[in-house]
Amino acid sequence: MSSSETANRTRGLVAGAGAGAVAYVLGYLFAYVTQSGQVEDQLAGFNAFADLFGGDPIPAWQGVGWLFYNGHFVDTQVPSLIGGARSLNLIAEADGGSLTLLYVVPPVLLIVAGIVAARIAGATEPVDGATAGVSVLAGYLPLAVLGAFLFRYSVGDGAVAPDIVTAVLLAGAVYPAAFGGVGGAVAALLRD
């Protein structure tokens, strides 16, 4: 491999990591901008009750985080009154509408991130493009792990939070590797 090819590959990996981080942030921001008002309305009753008894209200940004992870098919764990926890996907339990768009946004952003990584890497073969596209994982995974902890709301001995295992494996690893790789391969195929 020539030094020029090595430099392109390195640029592609760095660009992929950056594009992956940007895809995560844009995905969350999209969820926040489109859903924060509705989430705030849904949390109003609980927050009034929590405030009455001296508890901390759930901020809308955390509730939006649960929806963002639900858009990756990561369930939200909710403690039950008799112990243990139940899993739910707030998007799946809703009546549809604009919430279902949250299933589409992460894959689209990751495909675009994969395209960016492959273009910067100068990939001309689909395998090279896919390899460059998978590099979005390096930026997406750390933020997915961090978000799984940031979107945690403590309730008694439990917490309402994204399921940590699927947040890391599915949202953090599988989504960026699969969709970033597809984007990278497509970019190489469409290269002039």
Side-chain angles (χ1 to χ4, degrees):
M1 182 180 308
S2 73
S3 62
S4 160
E5 290 173 326
T6 303
N8 280 348
R9 191 169 286 204
T10 301
R11 278 196 308 272
L13 292 174
V14 170
V22 168
Y24 180 92
V25 170
L26 288 177
Y28 174 76
L29 287 176
F30 177 85
Y32 187 83
V33 167
T34 61
Q35 303 302 320
S36 62
Q38 186 176 352
V39 167
E40 204 165 302
D41 291 345
Q42 294 293 321
L43 293 173
F46 176 84
N47 286 341
F49 184 73
D51 192 41
L52 184 66
F53 289 99
D56 293 327
I58 300 172
W61 66 267
Q62 280 185 316
V64 170
W66 304 334
L67 287 174
F68 177 62
Y69 278 84
N70 289 165
H72 293 79
F73 295 97
V74 173
D75 284 344
T76 302
Q77 299 293 312
V78 179
S80 68
L81 295 174
I82 56 173
R86 64 185 178 115
S87 297
L88 55 106
N89 183 317
L90 301 167
I91 298 171
E93 292 188 13
D95 292 335
S98 66
L99 278 179
T100 56
L101 192 56
L102 295 178
Y103 285 130
V104 176
V105 171
V108 168
L109 289 172
L110 286 163
I111 287 170
V112 170
I115 290 170
V116 168
R119 291 288 176 151
I120 291 174
T124 56
E125 297 296 322
V127 172
D128 295 335
T131 301
V134 168
S135 68
V136 302
L137 175 99
Y140 208 85
L141 177 62
L143 293 178
V145 172
L146 179 64
F149 289 101
L150 284 176
F151 301 131
R152 181 179 183 83
Y153 177 81
S154 295
V155 179
D157 293 336
V160 179
D163 178 69
I164 189 68
V165 174
T166 53
V168 171
L169 296 177
L170 187 59
V174 172
Y175 260 64
F179 293 111
V182 165
V186 166
L189 284 171
L190 298 177
R191 189 166 175 92
D192 296 328

